[in-house]
Amino acid sequence: MKKTLTGLKPSGELTLGSLIGAIKQMRDYQDNYNSYLFVPDLHAITVPQDPEELKARIRKNVGLYLACGIDPHKNTIYLQSENLYHANLSWVLECTTYMGEASRMTQYKDKTSKGENVSVGLFTYPILMAADILLYDADYVPVGIDQKQHVELARDIAIRFNKRFGATFNIPEPLIPPTGAKIMDLQEPTKKMSKSSENYKGTILLLDDPIQAKKKIMSAVTDSENLVKYDPINKPGISNLLTIYACLTDTKIEDVETKFQDYNYGSLKKEVALVVANTLTSIQQKYQEIISSNIIDEVLDAGRIKTTQEAATKLKEVYHKVGLER
Ligand code: TYM
């Protein structure tokens, strides 16, 4: 069985974008793949975090994975920080990655171009991500479009390592959803919806009050044409709403466009708001049950034990290949 693997950083609250770009893909694939879903908490500390808040968000992430329909019997679920091999492999891979290729990562370039004083960890972050993927020989990495470049770096690192030291790593492929690879900010629909967004009205959090979420959809920025059409370049706001509806109802974007072609923007928004609110209500009901049970610890303990054994075997092979042994 082919293996899928992905993770969502607990650096902020999970959003509708996190659900559509990554979690939904894992849920859709979980019956047919050997699925690994982890919490990249080491990645979260590449930017400053409040320790208590981070701790709470790590648990929240796992609770939300399960509440969004990730089946713990079909997925291996674990914390990156509980498995010391991730950071170990990352070091070896850092030593085989060129400054030039790491410097080309657009996420890093975007952050530094704003003149922010960033950590070295933010620079090496994509190499730790490569380690996350290569440690388990993942075949597919379901991600939103913003992470595609990082998965491609993981491929380059694996190909180079294999050439130099002999076949060691599987070469992973990114899995980008055909619709919903980049859910946009509701207030600035040319920007990605992000957990770190400054304008709270632009982002829908999975734990937002459904009534508030409805209001956010109703006040989403659109355009003045009053013509419902899927055209992400010229009509980013409307296209984003159609995309959200399509993804949450598992409908083709063309069919959603046809369904709403005679609607005005107000009535389209009402329909989208309803679907979003229903999605959040259903997730939050399950979340409340999960968060007050022992299931999170049980799942994470099982995941830690399983992945630590697998990762130990892989790292041993890597150390052997590069000559790190007596
Ligand atoms: P992160 O935590 O920023 O995002 C988690 C996942 O959600 C997707 N995503 C979106 N998709 C569509 N529209 C959006 N608005 C949106 N916002 C977020 C992201 O593309 C991503 O798939 N570096 C990764 C975490 C990571 C990882 C890994 C992923 C660490 N190691 C190994 C895969 C494999 C990150 O920061 O994602």
Side-chain angles (χ1 to χ4, degrees), residues 95-124:
C95 297
T96 66
T97 305
Y98 295 108
M99 288 294 288
E101 57 190 347
S103 309
R104 278 196 290 277
M105 296 297 108
T106 51
Q107 277 205 341
Y108 172 77
K109 282 203 294 195
D110 287 350
K111 294 241 173 175
T112 45
S113 69
K114 289 179 200 142
E116 285 174 40
N117 201 2
V118 300
S119 70
V120 175
L122 196 75
F123 180 66
T124 56

Side-chain angles (χ1 to χ4, degrees), residues 6 9 17 21 125 129 132 143-144 146-147 181 183 192-193 195:
T6 205
K9 278 197 314 283
Y125 150 139
M129 178 164 163
D132 299 334
V143 282
D146 62 311
Q147 294 298 322
I183 298 298
K192 188 186 75 156
M193 181 184 282
K195 50 196 165 208

Side-chain angles (χ1 to χ4, degrees), residues 18-29:
S18 327
L19 171 66
I20 293 174
I23 303 177
K24 181 178 181 298
Q25 291 207 80
M26 287 302 281
R27 188 179 68 204
D28 292 346
Y29 294 130

Side-chain angles (χ1 to χ4, degrees), residues 217-231 234-239 241-242 260-273:
I217 296 284
M218 294 309 293
S219 64
V221 167
T222 52
D223 54 69
S224 53
E225 206 180 10
N226 220 0
L227 172 71
V228 175
K229 196 165 167 259
Y230 181 72
D231 178 354
N234 298 308
K235 300 171 79 68
I238 286 297
S239 304
L241 294 176
L242 293 174
F260 292 122
Q261 62 189 355
D262 297 326
Y263 279 56
N264 63 33
Y265 288 178
S267 31
L268 168 70
K269 282 178 173 179
K270 265 192 199 147
E271 296 276 343
V272 179

